[in-house]
Amino acid sequence: MKRILVIGAKGMLGRDLVTVLQTSQQDDSAEGFEIIEWDVDEIDIRQEASTLPRIESLQPSIVINVAAYTDVDGCEKNRDQAFQVNAEGTKHVAMGAKACGAKVVYLSTDYVFDGKKREPYLESDLPNPLNVYGQTKLKGEHYVQEWIEDYLIIRTQWLYGRHGKNFVSSILRQAKEKQVLTIVDDQTGSPTYTIDLSKAIRALIQHNSRGIFHVANQRA
């Protein structure tokens, strides 16, 4: 049976993605994919020596990498760690997938852009990250493109969901605790629900899509 390996399966997006993929298997058993869930307890993608043989031994057909260091402020303070996870870790995953001939699906971010454009970014727009988080994720994109022919890079933004801390849950919590909310007003984006994003990832995989795609919920 073919395997889909999800790395970062216990994160906010990873948990919903696994559920959506498993539901798809139940709805259409003819697809014949087994969903494998790995997180930091199963694999440390920062370690090349262990990551490559671990992936190769599984022989997946598709590797979905949603593991990342996503704390934007933390990336500024811990630059080396951010690059180890988001850039070098992604490289190690890509190398392991290449050894299996597997497709790689990599979750990237709108932070690869500088935010100066006053309308939605297109896949063809030139990246220009302004912070360490964006730089590390863009480097991860480059590694995927360097090592893998059959790749799917999905850039998204402002994720929220049921299984982790996020902007939406933070605002709802503050609304209960405070009479006046203080919120940054110099950023524009589309909060994206992890279930919706997971369904989009599933659809792109089912259509054997390749290349770079921007996926976000529509602003009201």
Side-chain angles (χ1 to χ4, degrees), residues 191-210:
T192 301
Y193 187 35
T194 50
I195 291 287
D196 292 338
L197 177 58
S198 297
K199 291 179 179 178
I201 294 170
R202 180 185 63 187
L204 288 167
I205 291 174
Q206 289 174 335
H207 286 84
N208 196 29
S209 302
R210 300 184 182 187

Side-chain angles (χ1 to χ4, degrees), residues 60-76:
S61 298
I62 301 173
V63 178
I64 306 177
N65 182 20
V66 296
Y69 187 178
T70 59
D71 182 343
V72 177
D73 293 334
C75 287
E76 295 295 324

Side-chain angles (χ1 to χ4, degrees), residues 12-111:
M12 181 173 65
L13 173 59
R15 292 174 66 177
D16 284 337
L17 178 58
V18 167
T19 298
V20 167
L21 292 174
Q22 289 175 337
T23 301
S24 175
Q25 292 298 98
Q26 296 169 3
D27 294 341
D28 186 3
S29 59
E31 292 184 6
F33 278 103
E34 177 186 7
I35 313 301
I36 307 297
E37 308 170 45
W38 284 359
D39 207 273
V40 66
D41 292 336
E42 290 77 28
I43 188 170
D44 183 352
I45 62 174
R46 298 172 299 176
Q47 304 300 322
E48 177 181 346
S50 58
T51 297
L52 272 63
R54 183 119 173 86
I55 293 176
E56 189 172 3
S57 67
L58 185 67
Q59 288 293 302
S61 298
I62 301 173
V63 178
I64 306 177
N65 182 20
V66 296
Y69 187 178
T70 59
D71 182 343
V72 177
D73 293 334
C75 287
E76 295 295 324
K77 299 175 182 177
N78 303 286
R79 180 185 178 91
D80 289 345
Q81 182 179 350
F83 270 95
Q84 287 173 5
V85 176
N86 296 341
E88 297 305 312
T90 299
K91 177 183 178 181
H92 302 154
V93 170
M95 293 169 68
K98 181 178 178 64
C100 306
K103 182 187 190 78
V104 169
V105 181
Y106 173 62
L107 265 292
S108 191
T109 172
D110 62 327
Y111 275 94

Side-chain angles (χ1 to χ4, degrees), residues 62-220:
I62 301 173
V63 178
I64 306 177
N65 182 20
V66 296
Y69 187 178
T70 59
D71 182 343
V72 177
D73 293 334
C75 287
E76 295 295 324
K77 299 175 182 177
N78 303 286
R79 180 185 178 91
D80 289 345
Q81 182 179 350
F83 270 95
Q84 287 173 5
V85 176
N86 296 341
E88 297 305 312
T90 299
K91 177 183 178 181
H92 302 154
V93 170
M95 293 169 68
K98 181 178 178 64
C100 306
K103 182 187 190 78
V104 169
V105 181
Y106 173 62
L107 265 292
S108 191
T109 172
D110 62 327
Y111 275 94
V112 300
F113 299 109
D114 57 22
K116 295 180 180 180
K117 188 176 180 180
R118 306 312 299 174
E119 56 189 22
Y121 279 95
L122 304 176
E123 289 83 349
S124 57
D125 286 330
L126 185 66
N128 182 37
L130 298 180
N131 56 23
V132 172
Y133 176 60
Q135 293 166 5
T136 61
K137 295 298 288 184
L138 182 59
K139 187 65 174 179
E141 290 188 15
H142 292 165
Y143 278 138
V144 169
Q145 293 170 309
E146 176 184 346
W147 284 92
I148 302 295
E149 292 185 8
D150 185 5
Y151 66 82
L152 178 56
I153 294 172
I154 300 172
R155 294 172 179 153
T156 190
Q157 60 177 219
W158 290 25
L159 294 188
Y160 71 95
R162 301 171 296 174
H163 303 299
K165 295 180 180 180
N166 55 78
F167 178 77
V168 173
S169 63
S170 176
I171 294 301
L172 291 174
R173 185 185 68 254
Q174 290 185 51
K176 293 180 180 180
E177 299 173 351
K178 302 178 180 180
Q179 293 183 336
V180 178
L181 301 183
T182 302
I183 305 172
V184 297
D185 60 359
D186 61 347
Q187 297 183 29
T188 302
S190 299
T192 301
Y193 187 35
T194 50
I195 291 287
D196 292 338
L197 177 58
S198 297
K199 291 179 179 178
I201 294 170
R202 180 185 63 187
L204 288 167
I205 291 174
Q206 289 174 335
H207 286 84
N208 196 29
S209 302
R210 300 184 182 187
I212 299 175
F213 292 81
H214 291 179
V215 179
N217 281 132
Q218 183 176 355
R219 284 183 288 167

